[in-house]
Amino acid sequence: LLAGQEGTPQALGSGFAPANIALCKYWGKRDDELNLPMTSSLSVSLGALGTRTDLSVRDGGDEVLLDGELVPPADSFAARITSFLDLIRSESGPGFRVATQNAMPTAAGLASSASGFAALVLALKEVMGWDLDSRALSMLARLGSGSACRSLFSGFVEWHVGVRDDGMDSYAEPIDCVWPDFRIAPVTVSAERKSIGSREAMRRTRDTSRLYEAWPAQVAEDLLAIRAALRERDFVRLGETAEANALAMHATMMASRPAVLYWRPETLETIRRAWRLREERGIPVYCTMDAGPNVKLIFLRESTAAIESEFDAVEIINPFETATTAKSEY
Ligand code: PMV
């Protein structure tokens, strides 16, 4: 990927990338080193909510800061960044100071590695002077964290599974669909650190869950439905498919030996509340859940008041709001 890109690093660079939430999930790798997925996936990026990374070259080893605080090098957050930097630099260096700031709703459980690695790749492009297109940058971000390849883009984004062993055809691309009324709201049920990281959980699911055998076919079907729903702006079809896809993903995990179970009682309570809104009041609101206990609601702008009255202090995100008008948390 970086052949012919060697140059003298610039002193400073920075990048911003949005967080993203998958509507058709990525779960399971065919290559654990290159983060090559078993299936394609499709997400929506969260506009101005994401990560900003400022990067500078420094003598000595790397230094990682998160929201202004120095992170100990042995901490898994700093260690992942350093091993990613090791992938892209020669043995003789340089060292980097990586200052990362997350602009996320307070404790919404959205701070993810996806926006972090995508922002880091953009900052590196500037510092290293890489002449790379967004496809190449997406593949680089994928090496840090699979879902990071989708955070290079705004709006709806599809990550193409690819067939090559070297991963050179496994990258994300934006989908031509602007939907200003689309809304997403994280409902935080627990701010606890997750019990098992996605890397290990994916491996266990792939290797021990019988239900996982059905997952690729399910994704193929769901992707077709979601692409069609986006084309036709059919929100009910989109929501139904995204919710069913998330539940199917969690079913594959629960059938792992030993089980991978991210849900807490409040997760299920939140899902049931959303279902009640749908059944009793006809509000088209759907749920999606990732590798953690929190729930993200998806709905349309017209349902905002109903969502706000049912879910206390919920922060509602408009993925298509431009950065200049969005409420930023910086
Ligand atoms: O990229 P990772 O290793 O953080 O995995 C992300 C997995 C899910 O969030 C559960 C699904 C997805 O497609 O984002």
Side-chain angles (χ1 to χ4, degrees), residues 60-74:
D62 299 328
E63 192 174 84
V64 176
L65 289 98
L66 177 58
D67 296 327
E69 303 265 336
L70 197 63
V71 182

Side-chain angles (χ1 to χ4, degrees), residues 163-187:
V163 293
R164 291 173 57 147
D165 288 341
D166 64 5
M168 291 300 283
D169 55 356
S170 186
Y171 54 84
E173 242 176 1
I175 293 172
D176 185 18
C177 171
V178 176
W179 198 337
D181 285 349
F182 185 91
R183 295 289 182 272
I184 187 157
V187 179

Side-chain angles (χ1 to χ4, degrees), residues 23-25 39-42 158-160 175 215-234 237-242 245:
L23 302 174
C24 185
K25 307 290 185 189
T39 68
S40 293
S41 55
L42 193 153
E158 183 166 341
W159 174 8
H160 304 291
I175 293 172
W215 175 247
Q218 185 66 68
V219 168
E221 218 175 281
D222 291 344
L223 264 178
L224 286 176
I226 291 179
R227 284 195 210 114
L230 289 177
R231 236 181 359 253
E232 290 152 23
R233 303 290 190 277
D234 181 342
R237 188 170 186 200
L238 177 67
E240 280 178 356
T241 313
N245 180 269

